[in-house]
Amino acid sequence: MEKSSIQKDTPWPGDDDVHDHVTQRSQGFLSLLNSRMSTELMPQTVVLHGAAGVGKTTLAKKCMLDWTQAGPARARPAALYLSCKALSRRGPCTLAELLADSAPGPRRALPRLLARARTLLLVIDAFEELRVPAAALARDLGGDRGARRPAPVLLGGLLKRKLLPAATLLVTTRPEALGELRLVVEQPLLVEVEGLSEPERRAYLRRQLGGEAQARRAWQLMRSNAALLRLGSAPAVCWMLGACLRLPADEGDDPGRTCRTATSLLLRFLCSRVAPAPGSCPRPRPRAPLRALCLLAAEGVWAQTSLFEPRDLRRLGVREADLRPFVDRSLLLESGECAGCYRFLHLSLQHLLAAALYVLGGGEGGPGWGARGVRTLLSKEEGRRNPHLAHVGRFLFGLANEDRVRELGAAFGCPVSTELKHELLACTVRSPENGPFSSVTDTRETLCRLYESQDEPLVKEAVAQVTEVSLHLKDPTDLAHASFCLKHCERLQKLRLRVEKGVFLDDDTASGSEAQAAGSQYDHLFLQIWADLCLVFSSNKSLCFLDVSQSFLSSSSVRILCERITRVTCHLQKVVIKKVSPADAYRNLCLAVIGKKTLTYLVLEGGGHSDKLLLLLCEPLKHSRCNLQYLRLGSCSDTTQQWAYFFSALEVNQSLTCLNLTANELLDESARLLCKTLRHPKCFLQKLSSA
């Protein structure tokens, strides 16, 4: 197959890498699909889902080409393509009219093609761009299947297999529309499209930057920044990062610092596209059109679309001439599917420009803009209805950084507002109805927004009154966000921590293959960020409660945590440790906390990890500095002799008044030893809970 067979309207280089990536994915996908079709009677409905720009459409079109070349010329399977972007603009039609535009050969051959539906692949692309309510897809077709119907009704008939039930369906969508799609299709095969793999990204950057050293620098920057690493699966983001790293040094600061967040990377790229090239004649700055571009981006966010039609431009009062400077600079692309339609280079760029409208003085004059202020955009209720708003909200905090917003104003020669941060604080942190730290989910989003600002005074003011935080670290990105923000929580009293598997490198995979060695290199970087986060235990005098539960740590991360806890400036009084790995984490954490004079409350629960825990507790309990008053132990597999040692320590300890052993079933001999201890005159226990 010729590489030019896949239509691309993107301006970035590295087509060979992208083509190879798509070819491999297409071949693997079709092999999977063919194996399922040979063993199942039901025709397949396959859903390709993934973030914007990772190549869902390109992969779907490559699958169409491979599908049609799978048999002899006279009996080859057929493939048809429906774009939901175009379908949203279509009026009532018959099914034949809907499919005719993408059918191979003359229209008169379409009925014969549809009669062989078992060999037909129907691609339904960009489901998230369908501008109709979900209810329209569920309408009944009625008795006459050949009658003219609204296009969304026909699409619903295809998805629900009321029309062409024997055909194979391949649907692409972004994650935000996946839930709605699953309400329509039955038993779909879900395939996540993750974009470029890490090796493919390295090869892509090497080709773009023209050298191993430059590519290694770009990759290190991307790999060390979890947010950029996630975005970098899209070829467009790889291209933007490479473009920023190629900028002359005298144009700005070190890219490693200025590209630390998605806001700073995209803003640096945006400003570089409007700046004149070194030694060239200055180009006119698109000052006036910038507002039109931002208004277009914002309207698209609120309408949940990334494709802009001529009618959208007319409604907003935006002229095509206003957009031409951005088309010439590859920030805005003319759609190859719809005449006169435009889309942004990448969805994240649209989100950034939508946020920029708020620092350009708002959207006065835009239809319905009065109800689209910062408070509405950041509200939880609107966020549940429109997932795009969360991304715009993060960019809003990114533009609250005065250096960044001045960079935008200087590049486009337009006035900007530096007062955004006060409105953001009023709408989120100071807003009781939003409750930015009221739940784990809200905390995660708030920390993400604050990190995006890279404005420490803003962060300090935002968390000044925070006394309790629950962290759920799902990936290294969450770790970086928490580390950046929590050091400013001077009044923090309680910290609950949960770490998912994968944040730290597993101990048993810390060495070995080249890939594992590379992972170990970046695990070292994330351990440094973890060490910064753990400084809160020794630097915050108010922090007195720690709960580490359901956490997958590593020996290195446990060692760092213990080192911070054992410092004399750590004033923890209550510690809860539940279901933590690795196995030696209990031993090390127990040794770190049990000897602290400030500790009065300790819970140790972890199933099989509690082996020999009793012996570990004996010496600290006997120590005169021990002030522990409450102790709850999870199920222990210790022997009767070990229970005897533990109970004898209670006869020496003079602080413990409450012991909870409800998770343990003591054998008769161990129970007799416990009763003997309770009768001992120097036993201070006042409350005992047992099974």
Side-chain angles (χ1 to χ4, degrees):
M1 186 193 74
E2 296 296 329
K3 294 180 183 179
S4 59
S5 299
I6 302 177
Q7 297 296 320
K8 288 179 80 275
D9 52 3
T10 48
W12 53 82
D15 287 343
D16 289 340
D17 296 310
V18 175
H19 176 266
D20 293 342
H21 161 80
V22 172
T23 299
Q24 293 172 7
R25 298 298 188 274
S26 174
Q27 293 172 349
F29 168 73
L30 288 179
S31 297
L32 171 66
L33 187 59
N34 289 332
S35 66
R36 291 178 64 97
M37 290 181 65
S38 63
T39 58
E40 297 182 18
L41 297 177
M42 290 281 294
Q44 292 293 311
T45 298
V46 184
V47 177
L48 300 180
H49 62 100
V54 295
K56 300 182 296 296
T57 297
T58 305
L59 176 57
K61 290 182 177 180
K62 178 63 170 64
C63 288
M64 289 178 64
L65 292 172
D66 291 347
W67 178 277
T68 57
Q69 296 176 0
R74 296 186 61 182
R76 278 181 179 171
L80 301 178
Y81 177 85
L82 285 178
S83 169
C84 290
K85 299 174 183 178
L87 190 145
S88 294
R89 310 186 335 268
R90 182 144 195 170
C93 58
T94 65
L95 177 64
E97 292 170 340
L98 184 69
L99 301 176
D101 292 340
S102 64
R107 288 199 174 194
R108 63 177 180 273
L110 182 62
R112 187 168 63 252
L113 184 151
L114 298 182
R116 296 188 293 115
R118 178 71 182 174
T119 64
L120 176 65
L121 174 67
L122 179 59
V123 172
I124 299 174
D125 189 33
F127 178 79
E128 74 282 349
E129 293 285 354
L130 201 59
R131 295 189 182 184
V132 295
L137 301 177
R139 286 176 55 186
D140 186 56
L141 291 169
D144 187 359
R145 300 301 173 92
R148 300 173 68 84
R149 304 286 182 190
V153 174
L154 293 175
L155 178 64
L158 291 168
L159 291 172
K160 296 174 68 177
R161 297 199 166 277
K162 302 296 184 183
L163 299 172
L164 300 179
T168 297
L169 300 184
L170 179 58
V171 188
T172 73
T173 186
R174 293 186 196 135
E176 55 265 24
L178 184 59
E180 186 172 306
L181 175 62
R182 295 190 68 173
L183 296 176
V184 182
V185 299
E186 295 182 4
Q187 299 181 338
L189 171 63
L190 300 179
V191 179
E192 182 176 5
V193 181
E194 297 180 340
L196 298 176
S197 67
E198 292 190 7
E200 289 167 337
R201 276 175 257 183
R202 289 199 298 272
Y204 192 97
L205 291 168
R206 190 182 306 115
R207 180 182 293 271
Q208 181 186 3
L209 296 173
E212 183 64 37
Q214 296 90 336
R216 187 182 302 111
R217 180 190 179 205
W219 174 246
Q220 286 174 347
L221 173 61
M222 181 182 289
R223 188 63 177 83
S224 64
N225 187 313
L228 291 185
L229 184 63
R230 186 174 61 248
L231 279 173
S233 61
V237 177
C238 271
W239 179 64
M240 286 188 279
L241 176 61
C244 289
L245 292 178
R246 289 201 311 268
L247 296 176
D250 58 0
E251 284 195 20
D253 298 325
D254 173 27
R257 188 180 68 84
T258 57
C259 297
R260 185 175 296 165
T261 65
T263 302
S264 55
L265 169 66
L266 294 174
L267 190 58
R268 182 178 174 86
F269 173 78
L270 176 65
C271 294
S272 72
R273 303 303 288 178
V274 301
S280 65
C281 296
R283 293 186 292 184
R285 292 175 176 174
R287 172 178 175 177
L290 174 63
R291 186 181 182 81
L293 186 71
C294 293
L295 182 60
L296 189 68
E299 286 291 330
V301 164
W302 286 99
Q304 301 190 54
T305 184
S306 58
L307 186 74
F308 303 94
E309 308 168 14
R311 65 180 180 181
D312 297 322
L313 305 187
R314 291 192 298 269
R315 181 170 55 85
L316 296 172
V318 175
R319 301 173 303 161
E320 289 197 38
D322 294 334
L323 304 180
R324 181 51 52 184
F326 304 105
V327 174
D328 294 341
R329 292 164 170 86
S330 300
L331 297 171
L332 200 64
L333 306 177
E334 295 178 282
S335 174
E337 299 175 2
C338 310
C341 296
Y342 298 89
R343 64 179 178 86
F344 288 89
L345 172 63
H346 189 260
L347 185 61
S348 59
L349 194 61
Q350 179 182 341
H351 291 156
L352 173 68
L353 288 165
L357 185 63
Y358 290 84
V359 300
L360 294 175
E364 293 86 349
W369 194 262
R372 297 178 178 178
V374 172
R375 185 175 296 276
T376 304
L377 187 146
L378 296 176
S379 72
K380 294 180 185 179
E381 184 178 355
E382 287 294 333
R384 283 189 286 267
R385 285 197 289 259
N386 187 345
H388 293 274
L389 299 183
H391 301 283
V392 179
R394 294 165 196 164
F395 283 124
L396 274 179
F397 275 82
L399 293 176
N401 184 300
E402 293 185 8
D403 292 337
R404 299 286 81 81
V405 75
R406 289 194 180 103
E407 181 182 359
L408 175 67
F412 288 88
C414 58
V416 292
S417 171
T418 59
E419 300 300 315
L420 179 63
K421 67 173 63 179
H422 303 295
E423 189 170 5
L424 292 177
L425 287 171
C427 294
T428 55
V429 178
R430 297 171 185 161
S431 173
E433 62 268 19
N434 277 336
F437 294 98
S438 59
S439 70
V440 172
T441 302
D442 294 334
T443 297
R444 190 168 184 253
E445 180 62 27
T446 300
L447 295 179
C448 176
R449 292 171 174 176
L450 293 175
Y451 177 85
E452 195 68 28
S453 75
Q454 289 295 296
D455 187 326
E456 297 205 13
L458 170 64
V459 175
K460 189 171 184 177
E461 185 173 356
V463 300
Q465 304 302 319
V466 175
T467 60
E468 186 172 346
V469 170
S470 295
L471 294 179
H472 186 180
L473 306 182
K474 296 183 178 181
D475 53 42
T477 306
D478 295 333
L479 177 59
H481 297 168
S483 175
F484 182 77
C485 298
L486 257 62
K487 60 187 175 184
H488 297 293
C489 292
E490 297 180 354
R491 297 191 180 185
L492 185 64
Q493 299 174 15
K494 297 181 179 181
L495 177 61
R496 292 179 173 85
L497 185 63
R498 179 181 175 186
V499 183
E500 289 286 355
K501 189 177 182 64
V503 174
F504 300 112
L505 193 66
D506 291 340
D507 293 326
D508 56 355
T509 59
S511 62
S513 67
E514 181 180 348
Q516 290 168 344
S520 180
Q521 174 187 353
Y522 293 105
D523 185 63
H524 177 71
L525 172 66
F526 297 135
L527 285 173
Q528 291 178 329
I529 300 175
W530 171 254
D532 291 339
L533 173 61
C534 291
L535 278 174
V536 70
F537 297 110
S538 56
S539 63
N540 192 321
K541 297 180 180 180
S542 302
L543 186 58
C544 59
F545 178 88
L546 171 64
D547 182 338
V548 184
S549 299
Q550 296 179 308
S551 291
F552 294 87
L553 303 176
S554 63
S555 295
S556 298
S557 59
V558 170
R559 184 170 60 253
I560 292 171
L561 176 59
C562 291
E563 194 276 329
R564 296 291 188 265
I565 289 176
T566 54
R567 294 189 180 185
V568 294
T569 52
C570 175
H571 301 286
L572 287 175
Q573 299 174 18
K574 295 184 177 182
V575 175
V576 177
I577 303 172
K578 293 182 180 179
K579 299 180 181 178
V580 177
S581 64
D584 62 355
Y586 283 85
R587 178 183 181 277
N588 294 328
L589 288 170
C590 184
L591 286 174
V593 300
I594 194 66
K596 296 196 68 64
K597 189 176 181 179
T598 56
L599 188 72
T600 60
Y601 182 102
L602 179 61
V603 174
L604 296 171
E605 295 182 359
H609 296 325
S610 299
D611 188 28
K612 298 183 181 179
L613 193 59
L614 295 178
L615 294 179
L616 196 64
L617 291 169
C618 289
E619 288 305 315
L621 286 172
K622 293 178 181 179
H623 201 285
S624 59
R625 288 179 49 123
C626 179
N627 289 314
L628 191 64
Q629 299 173 17
Y630 178 93
L631 176 62
R632 185 166 82 220
L633 296 177
S635 178
C636 299
S637 57
D638 297 72
T639 64
T640 300
Q641 186 61 47
Q642 290 165 341
W643 278 109
Y645 289 139
F646 174 72
F647 293 144
S648 65
L650 299 184
E651 297 174 2
V652 179
N653 179 275
Q654 298 182 14
S655 61
L656 193 67
T657 58
C658 184
L659 177 64
N660 190 321
L661 300 176
T662 52
N664 292 273
E665 294 186 10
L666 298 180
L667 299 176
D668 291 343
E669 181 60 27
S670 299
R672 282 194 293 270
L673 291 171
L674 174 58
C675 293
K676 178 184 175 182
T677 297
L678 293 174
R679 292 194 297 266
H680 195 280
K682 292 187 178 181
C683 178
F684 280 74
L685 279 178
Q686 299 176 10
K687 183 177 180 180
L688 172 68
S689 301
S690 59

